[in-house]
Amino acid sequence: MTLDVVILAAGQGTRMRSATPKVLHPVAGKPMVRHVIDTAMGLGADRLHVVIGHGAERVRERLAGCPLRFVVQAEQKGTGHAVAQALDGLGDGKVLVLYGDVPLIRHDTLSALLDAVDERHMALLTVTLADPTGYGRIKRNARGEAAAIVEHKDASEAERAIT
């Protein structure tokens, strides 16, 4: 089965208060998005798609030489919209969506996540945070399964209590 990896790298990173695109900030000597790309390549990805927007040309320049397909998200309309920009280049196998600003994601974590995916099942990696301010919330059904994702800015008070 083939593996396409979509790396979301279009956001501004306004919380970083920098003119540099968030994914280009260095971590351990290289842009944080490069750590994500290296991890994805280590998974044996058949195709890597990087969704770019804010600072697109700078991101392209810094990643020149990497075996990537760049996809432009002209307007930043959220995560779902960003992924949709890559749809026409995806194969028929597994699709892994990663954020370009999570450089410490581990190969073993993603490998286990992919092992949980087959023709009938998808998987979602979540985290519990003491203070999830600014992050989306995973709403779960009575069986504890993910039922919806609500962005922080759209969340009700009860939804914001989800950690």
Side-chain angles (χ1 to χ4, degrees), residues 136-147:
R137 306 306 200 279
I138 307 297
K139 292 180 67 173
R140 297 180 184 274
N141 63 22
R143 293 184 303 271
E145 301 164 333

Side-chain angles (χ1 to χ4, degrees), residues 92-117:
D92 294 329
K94 293 182 181 183
V95 177
L96 175 63
V97 178
L98 299 174
Y99 293 101
D101 63 350
V102 185
L104 301 180
I105 191 78
R106 294 183 5 226
H107 176 276
D108 293 348
T109 301
L110 296 177
S111 185
L113 181 70
L114 288 169
D115 286 346
V117 175

Side-chain angles (χ1 to χ4, degrees), residues 57-134:
E57 289 312 311
R58 290 177 68 188
V59 175
R60 276 186 209 264
E61 288 171 12
R62 289 296 304 270
L63 300 178
C66 293
L68 306 171
R69 170 182 174 250
F70 288 103
V71 180
V72 177
Q73 183 188 24
E75 293 180 71
Q76 280 69 60
K77 294 182 179 179
T79 304
H81 181 261
V83 173
Q85 305 314 295
L87 289 177
D88 67 345
L90 302 179
D92 294 329
K94 293 182 181 183
V95 177
L96 175 63
V97 178
L98 299 174
Y99 293 101
D101 63 350
V102 185
L104 301 180
I105 191 78
R106 294 183 5 226
H107 176 276
D108 293 348
T109 301
L110 296 177
S111 185
L113 181 70
L114 288 169
D115 286 346
V117 175
D118 60 29
E119 291 79 18
R120 294 183 21 212
H121 300 93
M122 62 178 268
L124 176 68
L125 183 64
T126 65
V127 63
T128 300
L129 298 171
D131 180 7
T133 302

